[in-house]
Amino acid sequence: MTVGSSSTSDIGPPPNGPIPLLTPYRMGDLDLSHRIVLAPLARNRSYNNVPQPHAALYYSQRATKGGLLITEATGVSDTAQGYPDTPGIWTKEQVEAWKPIVDAVHQKGAIFFLQLLHVGRVSTYGFQPNGQAPISSTDKGVTTGLDGVDWSPPRRLRKDEIPGIVNDFRLAARNAIEAGFDGVEIHGANGYLIEQFLKDQVNDRTDEYGGSLENRSRFALEVVEAVTQEIGSRRVGIRLSPYTTFMDSIDSDPDGLGLYMANALNKFNILYLHMIEPRVNGAMVLQGPEDEIPHKLLPMRKAFHNTFIAAGGYNRSKANRAIAENYTDLIAFGRLFLANPDLPKRYELDAPLNKYNRSTFYISDPVVGYTDYPFLEQA
Ligand SMILES: Cc1cc2nc3c(=O)[nH]c(=O)nc-3n(C[C@H](O)[C@H](O)[C@H](O)COP(=O)(O)O)c2cc1C
């Protein structure tokens, strides 16, 4: 069976027992009514980097009372972008534009976190102010033509420039709270700037931001520290993907990197650690045995003291078993939640699912493939 098709044949929990995904969970001081999280999903409908009114409908369609939603990746500054029409949170106009979207989600009683992104070298001159080179930990570029884009060669950040980038994350977090978000998720995954520091096949620095694990994680942890100081640790999560090879972002020891970060993050007492399963590469998921129970993240889940979110390739049965086994506290669903605005309801009823349409993931249409996926009663 392909991911994205009906789940009615899934092996679920005992017919009359509680459905693990639908059980409540207390995350810090937030009461979640279920364990189904909307994964961050870039939708490329924020024209000129400004979130649009149609996003209020899109997110509120996926909002439930006590459900956790994470926004699409949102740029922290004018050097942070690398894709068309992705939203930002560094200008007053962007903050004001997010407000009605957050209000619409809160009216449904959901909890809403903003994902903070800097793409680093996953960019081109065309996305950069004055056509300058994208910035990174390195001056090695992403392979030309990867994913169909001629990525521009990056410029290695000087050590004295790094505090300014950390500060961009801090200001963006403050703006997110100003816009009404309940918290932020620092995007430390999928080959973007933070990972360009974390991973040893990208980071070739010889200063204190390169070399040892401690040095490679310094930038990520400085961002975490700055953001927690600004908005408080109970409002901060981070997403990591040590196993991905997306955007040429590879580490020779992903087990060691993931575990090191899980332990190091404890110092900041942040709200959650959100980790991506090894079988996921960016927005693509390799097919695996249907009911394979993943265990690769378990050491990190055990090391980290607060809430753990797992993501990548989950369906109803696998997610239920992961929760029942205490492998994770919450599961983030990407493509299935994108295509099923009422995913929690469908999982409660074990109802069939809409199939996602990959060709409309990133088009700019404000409706098609965005707010037009039918609800159960319309299907
Ligand atoms: C259309 C699309 C956009 C995505 N955008 C983001 C993003 O903005 N930030 C992020 O961390 N991951 C992003 N991802 C990855 C997803 O959050 C998720 O990790 C991936 O889809 C695997 O989960 P799934 O099997 O439940 O879909 C995106 C994936 C898709 C399909």
Side-chain angles (χ1 to χ4, degrees):
M1 164 175 138
T2 54
V3 178
S5 59
S6 158
S7 73
T8 44
S9 63
D10 290 345
I11 306 154
N16 298 320
I19 301 166
L21 276 174
L22 275 300
T23 55
Y25 175 76
R26 190 166 172 87
M27 179 172 78
D29 58 7
L30 301 167
D31 279 317
L32 304 185
S33 62
H34 60 76
R35 316 293 185 107
I36 301 163
V37 178
L38 175 67
L41 294 167
R43 305 311 316 276
N44 301 60
R45 282 140 167 110
S46 296
Y47 316 128
N48 297 316
N49 308 130
V50 179
Q52 300 293 308
H54 48 243
L57 176 59
Y58 168 75
Y59 283 110
S60 68
Q61 283 179 333
R62 286 156 184 78
T64 49
K65 190 167 165 34
L68 172 63
L69 308 185
I70 304 166
T71 68
E72 60 212 276
T74 300
V76 298
S77 70
D78 63 354
T79 63
Q81 309 293 119
Y83 298 99
D85 295 327
T86 47
I89 187 86
W90 72 89
T91 71
K92 180 88 185 137
E93 183 188 11
Q94 292 160 348
V95 172
E96 291 305 314
W98 274 115
K99 284 182 180 173
I101 302 167
V102 178
D103 281 349
V105 166
H106 281 161
Q107 270 172 28
K108 290 272 199 81
I111 293 147
F112 204 14
F113 273 53
L114 178 93
Q115 192 186 47
L116 294 177
L117 171 71
H118 195 302
V119 295
R121 66 177 186 167
V122 185
S123 189
T124 66
Y125 300 131
F127 287 107
Q128 296 299 315
N130 308 316
Q132 68 190 32
I135 54 172
S136 184
S137 63
T138 175
D139 51 18
K140 283 183 302 184
V142 178
T143 304
T144 305
L146 189 67
D147 234 11
V149 178
D150 284 338
W151 308 104
S152 302
R155 178 179 71 78
R156 184 194 307 269
L157 280 166
R158 293 189 316 271
K159 201 179 109 182
D160 66 346
E161 293 176 291
I162 293 177
I165 310 296
V166 172
N167 199 47
D168 287 339
F169 276 89
R170 187 176 66 77
L171 295 175
R174 182 201 291 177
N175 286 344
I177 299 304
E178 155 77 18
F181 283 99
D182 300 292
V184 300
E185 174 174 290
I186 297 165
H187 196 339
N190 292 349
Y192 300 116
L193 182 62
I194 289 177
E195 257 204 5
Q196 292 158 33
F197 277 85
L198 286 173
K199 291 193 167 173
D200 65 1
Q201 304 301 297
V202 182
N203 183 337
D204 55 358
R205 301 178 75 91
T206 52
D207 61 11
E208 63 257 47
Y209 289 91
S212 64
L213 256 179
E214 185 186 359
N215 281 356
R216 281 183 279 121
S217 64
R218 190 178 308 280
F219 174 66
L221 297 175
E222 285 179 355
V223 169
V224 171
E225 183 170 33
V227 169
T228 54
Q229 280 174 357
E230 186 66 33
I231 65 170
S233 54
R234 68 188 175 84
R235 302 204 230 197
V236 180
I238 189 168
R239 190 170 217 219
L240 299 175
S241 58
Y243 298 95
T244 190
T245 59
F246 190 61
M247 291 298 157
D248 292 341
S249 185
I250 301 168
D251 196 84
S252 61
D253 178 17
D255 296 335
L257 173 61
L259 192 57
Y260 182 89
M261 283 298 290
N263 280 310
L265 288 165
N266 283 328
K267 181 176 158 207
F268 302 98
N269 196 27
I270 58 171
L271 186 61
Y272 71 75
L273 172 57
H274 181 178
M275 294 198 82
I276 303 179
E277 295 286 352
R279 60 193 279 225
V280 179
N281 211 22
M284 301 294 289
V285 179
L286 310 172
Q287 294 299 317
E290 170 64 9
D291 286 314
E292 168 202 2
I293 303 177
H295 285 118
K296 204 63 177 153
L297 304 180
L298 199 55
M300 299 146 218
R301 191 279 195 278
K302 285 186 173 159
F304 185 67
H305 294 162
N306 295 336
T307 298
F308 195 83
I309 308 178
Y314 280 95
N315 59 19
R316 182 178 186 270
S317 69
K318 204 187 294 183
N320 271 326
R321 276 182 294 143
I323 300 286
E325 278 186 8
N326 201 22
Y327 171 72
T328 186
D329 298 307
L330 306 171
I331 306 269
F333 293 89
R335 295 156 305 158
L336 296 183
F337 216 156
L338 183 158
N340 294 275
D342 50 357
L343 190 68
K345 172 58 75 184
R346 290 178 192 245
Y347 276 174
E348 186 184 339
L349 302 175
D350 198 9
L353 301 186
N354 301 323
K355 290 185 179 160
Y356 56 81
N357 178 358
R358 187 174 289 279
S359 71
T360 59
F361 279 176
Y362 308 110
I363 65 171
S364 63
D365 195 290
V367 176
V368 177
Y370 191 56
T371 52
D372 62 348
Y373 281 107
F375 285 74
L376 196 53
E377 58 271 23
Q378 303 161 341

